Short mmCIF file of all heavy atoms in Angstrom, two decimals:
data_model
loop_
_atom_site.label_atom_id
_atom_site.label_comp_id
_atom_site.label_asym_id
_atom_site.label_seq_id
_atom_site.Cartn_x
_atom_site.Cartn_y
_atom_site.Cartn_z
N MET C 64 87.36 81.79 114.83
CA MET C 64 87.84 83.05 115.39
C MET C 64 88.75 83.70 114.36
O MET C 64 89.70 83.10 113.89
CB MET C 64 88.59 82.74 116.69
CG MET C 64 89.13 83.94 117.36
SD MET C 64 89.71 83.65 119.04
CE MET C 64 90.81 82.30 118.88
N GLU C 65 88.42 84.92 114.02
CA GLU C 65 89.20 85.62 113.01
C GLU C 65 90.46 86.21 113.62
O GLU C 65 90.45 86.74 114.72
CB GLU C 65 88.36 86.74 112.40
CG GLU C 65 87.21 86.23 111.58
CD GLU C 65 86.46 87.36 110.92
OE1 GLU C 65 87.10 88.36 110.54
OE2 GLU C 65 85.24 87.25 110.79
N GLU C 66 91.56 86.14 112.86
CA GLU C 66 92.83 86.63 113.35
C GLU C 66 92.82 88.14 113.57
O GLU C 66 93.43 88.64 114.51
CB GLU C 66 93.96 86.26 112.37
CG GLU C 66 94.26 84.78 112.32
CD GLU C 66 93.27 83.98 111.48
OE1 GLU C 66 92.53 84.57 110.68
OE2 GLU C 66 93.23 82.76 111.65
N LEU C 67 92.12 88.87 112.71
CA LEU C 67 92.06 90.31 112.86
C LEU C 67 91.35 90.69 114.16
O LEU C 67 91.79 91.59 114.88
CB LEU C 67 91.36 90.95 111.66
CG LEU C 67 91.25 92.47 111.70
CD1 LEU C 67 92.64 93.09 111.71
CD2 LEU C 67 90.48 92.97 110.50
N THR C 68 90.29 90.00 114.49
CA THR C 68 89.56 90.26 115.72
C THR C 68 90.46 90.03 116.93
O THR C 68 90.49 90.84 117.85
CB THR C 68 88.32 89.36 115.82
OG1 THR C 68 87.51 89.55 114.67
CG2 THR C 68 87.53 89.65 117.06
N VAL C 69 91.18 88.95 116.92
CA VAL C 69 92.08 88.63 118.02
C VAL C 69 93.17 89.69 118.14
O VAL C 69 93.50 90.14 119.24
CB VAL C 69 92.69 87.23 117.84
CG1 VAL C 69 93.76 86.96 118.88
CG2 VAL C 69 91.60 86.17 117.93
N ALA C 70 93.72 90.13 117.03
CA ALA C 70 94.76 91.16 117.04
C ALA C 70 94.23 92.46 117.62
O ALA C 70 94.93 93.13 118.39
CB ALA C 70 95.30 91.38 115.63
N VAL C 71 93.01 92.81 117.30
CA VAL C 71 92.41 94.03 117.84
C VAL C 71 92.21 93.88 119.35
O VAL C 71 92.51 94.81 120.12
CB VAL C 71 91.07 94.34 117.14
CG1 VAL C 71 90.31 95.44 117.86
CG2 VAL C 71 91.31 94.71 115.69
N PHE C 72 91.73 92.72 119.81
CA PHE C 72 91.55 92.50 121.24
C PHE C 72 92.88 92.58 121.99
O PHE C 72 92.96 93.14 123.08
CB PHE C 72 90.87 91.16 121.51
CG PHE C 72 89.40 91.15 121.20
CD1 PHE C 72 88.82 90.05 120.60
CD2 PHE C 72 88.60 92.22 121.54
CE1 PHE C 72 87.46 90.02 120.34
CE2 PHE C 72 87.23 92.20 121.27
CZ PHE C 72 86.67 91.10 120.66
N ILE C 73 93.93 92.02 121.41
CA ILE C 73 95.25 92.09 122.04
C ILE C 73 95.71 93.53 122.16
O ILE C 73 96.20 93.95 123.21
CB ILE C 73 96.26 91.22 121.26
CG1 ILE C 73 95.93 89.74 121.46
CG2 ILE C 73 97.69 91.53 121.71
CD1 ILE C 73 96.75 88.80 120.60
N ALA C 74 95.52 94.30 121.11
CA ALA C 74 95.90 95.72 121.14
C ALA C 74 95.10 96.48 122.20
O ALA C 74 95.64 97.33 122.91
CB ALA C 74 95.71 96.35 119.76
N VAL C 75 93.82 96.18 122.32
CA VAL C 75 92.97 96.85 123.31
C VAL C 75 93.44 96.51 124.72
O VAL C 75 93.52 97.39 125.60
CB VAL C 75 91.49 96.47 123.11
CG1 VAL C 75 90.64 96.89 124.30
CG2 VAL C 75 90.95 97.08 121.83
N ILE C 76 93.78 95.26 124.96
CA ILE C 76 94.25 94.86 126.29
C ILE C 76 95.56 95.55 126.62
O ILE C 76 95.75 96.05 127.74
CB ILE C 76 94.39 93.33 126.39
CG1 ILE C 76 93.00 92.68 126.38
CG2 ILE C 76 95.15 92.93 127.66
CD1 ILE C 76 93.03 91.17 126.31
N ILE C 77 96.48 95.61 125.67
CA ILE C 77 97.75 96.31 125.89
C ILE C 77 97.49 97.77 126.25
O ILE C 77 98.09 98.31 127.19
CB ILE C 77 98.66 96.19 124.66
CG1 ILE C 77 99.13 94.75 124.50
CG2 ILE C 77 99.86 97.14 124.77
CD1 ILE C 77 99.87 94.48 123.21
N ALA C 78 96.59 98.41 125.53
CA ALA C 78 96.28 99.82 125.80
C ALA C 78 95.65 99.99 127.18
O ALA C 78 95.99 100.92 127.93
CB ALA C 78 95.35 100.36 124.72
N LEU C 79 94.74 99.10 127.55
CA LEU C 79 94.10 99.19 128.86
C LEU C 79 95.10 98.98 130.00
O LEU C 79 95.05 99.69 131.02
CB LEU C 79 92.96 98.17 128.98
CG LEU C 79 91.70 98.47 128.17
CD1 LEU C 79 90.74 97.29 128.24
CD2 LEU C 79 91.04 99.74 128.66
N VAL C 80 95.99 98.03 129.84
CA VAL C 80 97.00 97.78 130.87
C VAL C 80 97.92 98.99 131.01
O VAL C 80 98.24 99.41 132.12
CB VAL C 80 97.79 96.49 130.57
CG1 VAL C 80 99.00 96.36 131.49
CG2 VAL C 80 96.89 95.27 130.72
N GLU C 81 98.32 99.56 129.89
CA GLU C 81 99.16 100.76 129.94
C GLU C 81 98.42 101.91 130.61
O GLU C 81 99.01 102.65 131.41
CB GLU C 81 99.60 101.15 128.53
CG GLU C 81 100.64 102.24 128.50
CD GLU C 81 101.94 101.88 129.18
OE1 GLU C 81 102.32 100.70 129.20
OE2 GLU C 81 102.59 102.80 129.73
N LEU C 82 97.15 102.05 130.33
CA LEU C 82 96.34 103.09 130.97
C LEU C 82 96.26 102.86 132.48
O LEU C 82 96.40 103.81 133.26
CB LEU C 82 94.93 103.10 130.36
CG LEU C 82 93.95 104.11 130.93
CD1 LEU C 82 94.38 105.52 130.53
CD2 LEU C 82 92.56 103.82 130.43
N LEU C 83 96.07 101.63 132.90
CA LEU C 83 96.03 101.31 134.32
C LEU C 83 97.37 101.58 134.99
O LEU C 83 97.43 102.05 136.13
CB LEU C 83 95.61 99.86 134.54
CG LEU C 83 94.17 99.51 134.20
CD1 LEU C 83 93.96 98.01 134.29
CD2 LEU C 83 93.22 100.23 135.14
N LYS C 84 98.45 101.27 134.29
CA LYS C 84 99.77 101.51 134.85
C LYS C 84 100.01 103.00 135.07
O LYS C 84 100.60 103.39 136.08
CB LYS C 84 100.85 100.93 133.94
CG LYS C 84 100.96 99.43 134.04
CD LYS C 84 101.94 98.86 133.06
CE LYS C 84 103.28 99.51 133.17
NZ LYS C 84 104.25 99.00 132.21
N ARG C 85 99.57 103.81 134.15
CA ARG C 85 99.82 105.25 134.25
C ARG C 85 98.84 105.95 135.18
O ARG C 85 99.23 106.85 135.91
CB ARG C 85 99.76 105.89 132.87
CG ARG C 85 100.92 105.45 132.01
CD ARG C 85 100.87 106.08 130.66
NE ARG C 85 101.90 105.48 129.83
CZ ARG C 85 102.56 106.15 128.92
NH1 ARG C 85 102.30 107.41 128.70
NH2 ARG C 85 103.48 105.54 128.21
N SER C 86 97.58 105.56 135.16
CA SER C 86 96.58 106.29 135.95
C SER C 86 96.45 105.76 137.38
O SER C 86 96.21 106.53 138.30
CB SER C 86 95.23 106.25 135.25
OG SER C 86 94.75 104.92 135.17
N LEU C 87 96.59 104.46 137.57
CA LEU C 87 96.41 103.88 138.91
C LEU C 87 97.73 103.39 139.52
O LEU C 87 97.71 102.70 140.54
CB LEU C 87 95.42 102.71 138.85
CG LEU C 87 94.02 103.03 138.36
CD1 LEU C 87 93.17 101.78 138.31
CD2 LEU C 87 93.37 104.07 139.26
N ASP C 88 98.83 103.70 138.87
CA ASP C 88 100.16 103.26 139.33
C ASP C 88 100.22 101.74 139.53
O ASP C 88 100.73 101.25 140.54
CB ASP C 88 100.56 103.98 140.62
CG ASP C 88 100.79 105.46 140.40
OD1 ASP C 88 101.27 105.82 139.31
OD2 ASP C 88 100.49 106.25 141.32
N LEU C 89 99.68 101.02 138.57
CA LEU C 89 99.73 99.56 138.60
C LEU C 89 101.19 99.12 138.48
O LEU C 89 101.89 99.55 137.58
CB LEU C 89 98.92 98.98 137.42
CG LEU C 89 98.93 97.48 137.26
CD1 LEU C 89 98.07 96.84 138.33
CD2 LEU C 89 98.43 97.10 135.89
N PRO C 90 101.66 98.28 139.40
CA PRO C 90 103.04 97.80 139.30
C PRO C 90 103.25 97.01 138.01
O PRO C 90 102.39 96.24 137.59
CB PRO C 90 103.20 96.89 140.52
CG PRO C 90 102.10 97.25 141.44
CD PRO C 90 100.98 97.78 140.59
N THR C 91 104.40 97.20 137.40
CA THR C 91 104.71 96.55 136.13
C THR C 91 104.65 95.03 136.24
O THR C 91 104.22 94.36 135.31
CB THR C 91 106.11 96.98 135.64
OG1 THR C 91 106.13 98.40 135.54
CG2 THR C 91 106.44 96.38 134.30
N LYS C 92 105.06 94.48 137.38
CA LYS C 92 105.04 93.03 137.53
C LYS C 92 103.63 92.46 137.58
O LYS C 92 103.43 91.27 137.39
CB LYS C 92 105.85 92.60 138.75
CG LYS C 92 105.27 93.13 140.03
CD LYS C 92 106.07 93.03 141.30
CE LYS C 92 106.88 91.95 141.71
NZ LYS C 92 107.46 91.94 142.99
N MET C 93 102.62 93.30 137.79
CA MET C 93 101.23 92.86 137.80
C MET C 93 100.58 92.90 136.41
O MET C 93 99.48 92.40 136.22
CB MET C 93 100.40 93.73 138.76
CG MET C 93 100.81 93.62 140.20
SD MET C 93 100.58 91.97 140.86
CE MET C 93 98.82 91.88 140.86
N ALA C 94 101.26 93.50 135.45
CA ALA C 94 100.69 93.68 134.11
C ALA C 94 100.28 92.36 133.45
O ALA C 94 99.18 92.29 132.88
CB ALA C 94 101.66 94.46 133.23
N PRO C 95 101.09 91.29 133.49
CA PRO C 95 100.64 90.04 132.86
C PRO C 95 99.38 89.46 133.50
O PRO C 95 98.50 88.95 132.80
CB PRO C 95 101.83 89.10 133.04
CG PRO C 95 102.99 89.99 133.22
CD PRO C 95 102.48 91.20 133.93
N LEU C 96 99.26 89.56 134.80
CA LEU C 96 98.07 89.07 135.49
C LEU C 96 96.84 89.87 135.09
O LEU C 96 95.78 89.31 134.79
CB LEU C 96 98.26 89.12 137.01
CG LEU C 96 97.06 88.70 137.84
CD1 LEU C 96 96.72 87.24 137.59
CD2 LEU C 96 97.33 88.94 139.31
N VAL C 97 96.98 91.19 135.04
CA VAL C 97 95.87 92.05 134.63
C VAL C 97 95.49 91.76 133.18
O VAL C 97 94.31 91.71 132.84
CB VAL C 97 96.23 93.54 134.85
CG1 VAL C 97 95.17 94.44 134.27
CG2 VAL C 97 96.41 93.82 136.32
N SER C 98 96.48 91.53 132.33
CA SER C 98 96.21 91.19 130.93
C SER C 98 95.39 89.91 130.83
O SER C 98 94.42 89.84 130.06
CB SER C 98 97.51 91.02 130.15
OG SER C 98 98.21 92.22 130.06
N ALA C 99 95.77 88.90 131.60
CA ALA C 99 95.03 87.63 131.58
C ALA C 99 93.61 87.82 132.09
O ALA C 99 92.66 87.27 131.51
CB ALA C 99 95.77 86.59 132.41
N ILE C 100 93.46 88.62 133.14
CA ILE C 100 92.13 88.86 133.69
C ILE C 100 91.26 89.63 132.70
O ILE C 100 90.08 89.35 132.55
CB ILE C 100 92.24 89.61 135.04
CG1 ILE C 100 92.83 88.67 136.08
CG2 ILE C 100 90.89 90.14 135.49
CD1 ILE C 100 93.21 89.34 137.39
N LEU C 101 91.85 90.59 132.00
CA LEU C 101 91.09 91.35 130.99
C LEU C 101 90.74 90.48 129.78
O LEU C 101 89.74 90.72 129.11
CB LEU C 101 91.89 92.57 130.54
CG LEU C 101 92.03 93.71 131.55
CD1 LEU C 101 92.96 94.78 131.01
CD2 LEU C 101 90.68 94.29 131.89
N GLY C 102 91.55 89.49 129.50
CA GLY C 102 91.27 88.60 128.37
C GLY C 102 90.08 87.68 128.60
O GLY C 102 89.37 87.31 127.66
N LEU C 103 89.82 87.33 129.85
CA LEU C 103 88.72 86.41 130.16
C LEU C 103 87.36 86.90 129.68
O LEU C 103 86.66 86.15 128.98
CB LEU C 103 88.70 86.09 131.65
CG LEU C 103 89.76 85.11 132.12
CD1 LEU C 103 89.72 84.98 133.64
CD2 LEU C 103 89.58 83.76 131.46
N PRO C 104 86.94 88.12 130.04
CA PRO C 104 85.61 88.54 129.55
C PRO C 104 85.55 88.66 128.04
O PRO C 104 84.49 88.45 127.44
CB PRO C 104 85.37 89.88 130.23
CG PRO C 104 86.65 90.30 130.81
CD PRO C 104 87.52 89.10 130.93
N ILE C 105 86.67 88.97 127.41
CA ILE C 105 86.68 89.05 125.94
C ILE C 105 86.41 87.67 125.36
O ILE C 105 85.59 87.50 124.47
CB ILE C 105 88.01 89.62 125.44
CG1 ILE C 105 88.09 91.10 125.78
CG2 ILE C 105 88.16 89.40 123.93
CD1 ILE C 105 89.41 91.75 125.49
N GLY C 106 87.11 86.67 125.89
CA GLY C 106 86.91 85.31 125.39
C GLY C 106 85.52 84.78 125.65
O GLY C 106 84.93 84.09 124.83
N ILE C 107 84.97 85.13 126.80
CA ILE C 107 83.66 84.60 127.19
C ILE C 107 82.52 85.36 126.52
O ILE C 107 81.57 84.76 126.02
CB ILE C 107 83.50 84.64 128.72
CG1 ILE C 107 84.50 83.69 129.37
CG2 ILE C 107 82.09 84.30 129.15
CD1 ILE C 107 84.63 83.84 130.87
N LEU C 108 82.61 86.68 126.50
CA LEU C 108 81.47 87.49 126.05
C LEU C 108 81.49 87.84 124.56
O LEU C 108 80.43 87.92 123.94
CB LEU C 108 81.40 88.78 126.87
CG LEU C 108 81.24 88.60 128.38
CD1 LEU C 108 81.32 89.93 129.09
CD2 LEU C 108 79.94 87.88 128.70
N TYR C 109 82.65 88.09 124.00
CA TYR C 109 82.70 88.62 122.64
C TYR C 109 82.95 87.57 121.57
O TYR C 109 82.61 87.79 120.41
CB TYR C 109 83.75 89.72 122.54
CG TYR C 109 83.37 90.95 123.32
CD1 TYR C 109 84.06 91.30 124.46
CD2 TYR C 109 82.30 91.74 122.93
CE1 TYR C 109 83.70 92.41 125.19
CE2 TYR C 109 81.93 92.85 123.65
CZ TYR C 109 82.64 93.19 124.78
OH TYR C 109 82.29 94.29 125.50
N LEU C 110 83.57 86.47 121.93
CA LEU C 110 83.82 85.43 120.93
C LEU C 110 82.65 84.47 120.90
O LEU C 110 82.09 84.12 121.94
CB LEU C 110 85.13 84.70 121.24
CG LEU C 110 86.37 85.58 121.27
CD1 LEU C 110 87.59 84.73 121.64
CD2 LEU C 110 86.59 86.26 119.94
N ASP C 111 82.27 84.04 119.74
CA ASP C 111 81.10 83.19 119.57
C ASP C 111 81.48 81.72 119.73
O ASP C 111 81.53 80.96 118.76
CB ASP C 111 80.48 83.45 118.19
CG ASP C 111 79.14 82.77 118.04
OD1 ASP C 111 78.49 82.51 119.07
OD2 ASP C 111 78.75 82.50 116.89
N VAL C 112 81.80 81.34 120.99
CA VAL C 112 82.20 79.97 121.29
C VAL C 112 81.55 79.58 122.62
O VAL C 112 80.99 80.40 123.32
CB VAL C 112 83.74 79.84 121.39
CG1 VAL C 112 84.39 80.06 120.03
CG2 VAL C 112 84.31 80.81 122.40
N ASP C 113 81.65 78.29 122.97
CA ASP C 113 81.10 77.84 124.25
C ASP C 113 81.96 78.36 125.41
O ASP C 113 83.04 78.90 125.21
CB ASP C 113 80.98 76.31 124.29
CG ASP C 113 82.33 75.64 124.20
OD1 ASP C 113 82.91 75.61 123.09
OD2 ASP C 113 82.81 75.17 125.24
N LEU C 114 81.48 78.22 126.64
CA LEU C 114 82.11 78.82 127.81
C LEU C 114 83.54 78.33 128.03
O LEU C 114 84.45 79.13 128.23
CB LEU C 114 81.27 78.54 129.07
CG LEU C 114 81.80 79.12 130.37
CD1 LEU C 114 81.84 80.64 130.30
CD2 LEU C 114 80.96 78.66 131.54
N LYS C 115 83.75 77.02 127.98
CA LYS C 115 85.10 76.49 128.21
C LYS C 115 86.09 77.00 127.17
O LYS C 115 87.20 77.41 127.51
CB LYS C 115 85.08 74.95 128.20
CG LYS C 115 84.40 74.34 129.38
CD LYS C 115 84.42 72.83 129.27
CE LYS C 115 83.65 72.20 130.40
NZ LYS C 115 83.60 70.75 130.30
N THR C 116 85.67 76.98 125.93
CA THR C 116 86.54 77.46 124.86
C THR C 116 86.76 78.97 125.00
O THR C 116 87.87 79.45 124.78
CB THR C 116 85.91 77.14 123.49
OG1 THR C 116 85.63 75.74 123.42
CG2 THR C 116 86.85 77.52 122.36
N GLY C 117 85.74 79.70 125.41
CA GLY C 117 85.87 81.14 125.62
C GLY C 117 86.87 81.46 126.71
O GLY C 117 87.64 82.42 126.60
N ILE C 118 86.85 80.67 127.78
CA ILE C 118 87.81 80.88 128.86
C ILE C 118 89.23 80.64 128.36
O ILE C 118 90.14 81.45 128.62
CB ILE C 118 87.49 79.97 130.07
CG1 ILE C 118 86.18 80.43 130.73
CG2 ILE C 118 88.63 79.95 131.08
CD1 ILE C 118 85.65 79.48 131.78
N ILE C 119 89.43 79.56 127.64
CA ILE C 119 90.76 79.25 127.11
C ILE C 119 91.21 80.34 126.13
O ILE C 119 92.34 80.84 126.22
CB ILE C 119 90.78 77.87 126.42
CG1 ILE C 119 90.47 76.77 127.44
CG2 ILE C 119 92.11 77.62 125.74
CD1 ILE C 119 91.46 76.64 128.56
N TYR C 120 90.34 80.71 125.19
CA TYR C 120 90.69 81.76 124.23
C TYR C 120 90.97 83.08 124.95
O TYR C 120 91.89 83.81 124.58
CB TYR C 120 89.58 81.96 123.21
CG TYR C 120 89.52 80.93 122.11
CD1 TYR C 120 88.42 80.86 121.26
CD2 TYR C 120 90.53 80.01 121.91
CE1 TYR C 120 88.35 79.93 120.25
CE2 TYR C 120 90.47 79.07 120.91
CZ TYR C 120 89.37 79.03 120.08
OH TYR C 120 89.30 78.11 119.07
N GLY C 121 90.18 83.40 125.97
CA GLY C 121 90.39 84.63 126.71
C GLY C 121 91.75 84.65 127.40
O GLY C 121 92.45 85.67 127.38
N LEU C 122 92.11 83.53 128.00
CA LEU C 122 93.43 83.44 128.63
C LEU C 122 94.55 83.56 127.60
O LEU C 122 95.55 84.23 127.83
CB LEU C 122 93.57 82.14 129.41
CG LEU C 122 92.80 82.07 130.72
CD1 LEU C 122 92.87 80.67 131.32
CD2 LEU C 122 93.34 83.09 131.70
N ILE C 123 94.37 82.92 126.46
CA ILE C 123 95.38 83.00 125.41
C ILE C 123 95.52 84.43 124.92
O ILE C 123 96.64 84.93 124.75
CB ILE C 123 95.02 82.05 124.24
CG1 ILE C 123 95.18 80.60 124.69
CG2 ILE C 123 95.87 82.35 123.01
CD1 ILE C 123 94.63 79.59 123.72
N ILE C 124 94.41 85.12 124.72
CA ILE C 124 94.45 86.51 124.25
C ILE C 124 95.13 87.39 125.31
O ILE C 124 96.00 88.20 125.00
CB ILE C 124 93.03 87.01 123.93
CG1 ILE C 124 92.50 86.33 122.67
CG2 ILE C 124 93.02 88.54 123.76
CD1 ILE C 124 91.03 86.56 122.41
N GLY C 125 94.73 87.23 126.57
CA GLY C 125 95.31 88.04 127.64
C GLY C 125 96.80 87.78 127.83
O GLY C 125 97.59 88.71 127.96
N LEU C 126 97.18 86.52 127.84
CA LEU C 126 98.59 86.19 128.01
C LEU C 126 99.41 86.60 126.78
O LEU C 126 100.58 86.98 126.92
CB LEU C 126 98.76 84.70 128.30
CG LEU C 126 98.18 84.27 129.65
CD1 LEU C 126 98.22 82.75 129.78
CD2 LEU C 126 98.91 84.93 130.80
N SER C 127 98.81 86.53 125.61
CA SER C 127 99.50 87.02 124.41
C SER C 127 99.75 88.51 124.50
O SER C 127 100.82 89.00 124.14
CB SER C 127 98.69 86.71 123.16
OG SER C 127 98.55 85.34 122.98
N ALA C 128 98.77 89.24 124.99
CA ALA C 128 98.93 90.69 125.16
C ALA C 128 100.04 90.98 126.16
O ALA C 128 100.88 91.86 125.93
CB ALA C 128 97.62 91.32 125.62
N GLY C 129 100.07 90.25 127.26
CA GLY C 129 101.12 90.44 128.25
C GLY C 129 102.50 90.10 127.71
O GLY C 129 103.47 90.81 127.95
N GLY C 130 102.59 89.03 126.95
CA GLY C 130 103.86 88.64 126.35
C GLY C 130 104.32 89.61 125.29
O GLY C 130 105.50 89.92 125.18
N LEU C 131 103.38 90.10 124.50
CA LEU C 131 103.73 91.07 123.46
C LEU C 131 104.23 92.35 124.09
O LEU C 131 105.23 92.91 123.67
CB LEU C 131 102.51 91.34 122.57
CG LEU C 131 102.74 92.29 121.40
CD1 LEU C 131 103.77 91.72 120.44
CD2 LEU C 131 101.43 92.53 120.67
N TYR C 132 103.55 92.80 125.12
CA TYR C 132 103.96 94.01 125.83
C TYR C 132 105.37 93.82 126.40
O TYR C 132 106.24 94.67 126.26
CB TYR C 132 102.97 94.35 126.95
CG TYR C 132 103.42 95.51 127.79
CD1 TYR C 132 103.18 96.81 127.38
CD2 TYR C 132 104.09 95.31 128.98
CE1 TYR C 132 103.59 97.88 128.13
CE2 TYR C 132 104.51 96.37 129.74
CZ TYR C 132 104.26 97.65 129.32
OH TYR C 132 104.68 98.70 130.08
N SER C 133 105.58 92.68 127.05
CA SER C 133 106.88 92.40 127.66
C SER C 133 107.98 92.31 126.61
O SER C 133 109.08 92.82 126.82
CB SER C 133 106.78 91.09 128.43
OG SER C 133 108.03 90.66 128.86
N GLY C 134 107.68 91.67 125.50
CA GLY C 134 108.68 91.53 124.43
C GLY C 134 109.07 92.87 123.82
O GLY C 134 110.25 93.15 123.59
N VAL C 135 108.08 93.70 123.56
CA VAL C 135 108.36 95.03 122.98
C VAL C 135 109.14 95.87 123.98
O VAL C 135 110.08 96.57 123.61
CB VAL C 135 107.05 95.72 122.58
CG1 VAL C 135 107.30 97.18 122.22
CG2 VAL C 135 106.41 94.98 121.41
N LYS C 136 108.79 95.78 125.25
CA LYS C 136 109.49 96.53 126.28
C LYS C 136 110.95 96.11 126.35
O LYS C 136 111.85 96.94 126.46
CB LYS C 136 108.82 96.34 127.63
CG LYS C 136 109.44 97.14 128.73
CD LYS C 136 108.70 96.94 130.03
CE LYS C 136 109.42 97.66 131.14
NZ LYS C 136 108.84 97.40 132.43
N THR C 137 111.21 94.82 126.25
CA THR C 137 112.58 94.31 126.29
C THR C 137 113.37 94.78 125.07
O THR C 137 114.53 95.17 125.20
CB THR C 137 112.57 92.77 126.34
OG1 THR C 137 111.84 92.36 127.50
CG2 THR C 137 113.97 92.22 126.39
N ILE C 138 112.74 94.77 123.92
CA ILE C 138 113.44 95.17 122.69
C ILE C 138 113.76 96.67 122.70
O ILE C 138 114.83 97.09 122.30
CB ILE C 138 112.59 94.81 121.45
CG1 ILE C 138 112.56 93.30 121.29
CG2 ILE C 138 113.13 95.48 120.19
CD1 ILE C 138 111.58 92.82 120.25
N THR C 139 112.82 97.48 123.19
CA THR C 139 113.01 98.92 123.15
C THR C 139 113.80 99.45 124.33
O THR C 139 114.20 100.61 124.33
CB THR C 139 111.65 99.65 123.11
OG1 THR C 139 110.90 99.30 124.27
CG2 THR C 139 110.89 99.29 121.85
N LYS C 140 114.05 98.63 125.31
CA LYS C 140 114.79 99.05 126.51
C LYS C 140 116.26 99.26 126.13
O LYS C 140 116.91 98.36 125.60
CB LYS C 140 114.66 98.00 127.60
CG LYS C 140 115.30 98.37 128.89
CD LYS C 140 115.06 97.25 129.90
CE LYS C 140 115.73 97.55 131.21
NZ LYS C 140 115.55 96.46 132.15
N SER C 141 116.78 100.44 126.39
CA SER C 141 118.17 100.72 126.08
C SER C 141 119.06 100.31 127.25
O SER C 141 118.70 100.42 128.40
CB SER C 141 118.36 102.19 125.76
OG SER C 141 118.03 102.97 126.89
N GLU C 142 120.22 99.82 126.91
CA GLU C 142 121.15 99.35 127.96
C GLU C 142 122.08 100.44 128.37
O GLU C 142 122.47 101.28 127.71
CB GLU C 142 121.93 98.15 127.44
CG GLU C 142 121.01 96.98 127.16
CD GLU C 142 121.78 95.79 126.64
OE1 GLU C 142 123.00 95.72 126.79
OE2 GLU C 142 121.13 94.90 126.11
#
């Protein structure tokens, strides 16, 4: 699995979650769950690995996107 591919997938998931939050009023606390769910089809369908590994990679990608979003939000949040 190439690192650049994974980075692009993480960025796409972050963008999709932000789009869902703005257009469908997705609650912020649901964002990590949605990120993990969006990561699953990426791991299963787009990565050239077996099903079990694809599920694990998909969860890792989705949870990484959720964590990255949360971390950036915390850093940019003004007190």
Side-chain angles (χ1 to χ4, degrees):
M64 180 168 53
E65 293 184 34
E66 291 79 17
L67 181 61
T68 304
V69 172
V71 169
F72 285 140
I73 290 172
V75 167
I76 291 173
I77 291 172
L79 288 173
V80 169
E81 189 62 30
L82 180 69
L83 290 173
K84 284 175 53 182
R85 292 180 188 215
S86 64
L87 300 178
D88 293 326
L89 177 73
T91 303
K92 63 192 320 187
M93 296 297 292
L96 177 64
V97 173
S98 295
I100 291 170
L101 289 174
L103 284 174
I105 289 173
I107 295 169
L108 300 174
Y109 292 110
L110 300 178
D111 189 24
V112 293
D113 63 285
L114 181 63
K115 289 180 185 178
T116 306
I118 291 171
I119 297 298
Y120 282 169
L122 286 173
I123 291 170
I124 290 169
L126 293 172
S127 297
L131 182 62
Y132 175 83
S133 170
V135 170
K136 183 178 175 186
T137 301
I138 290 171
T139 59
K140 184 178 178 182
S141 62
E142 296 180 18

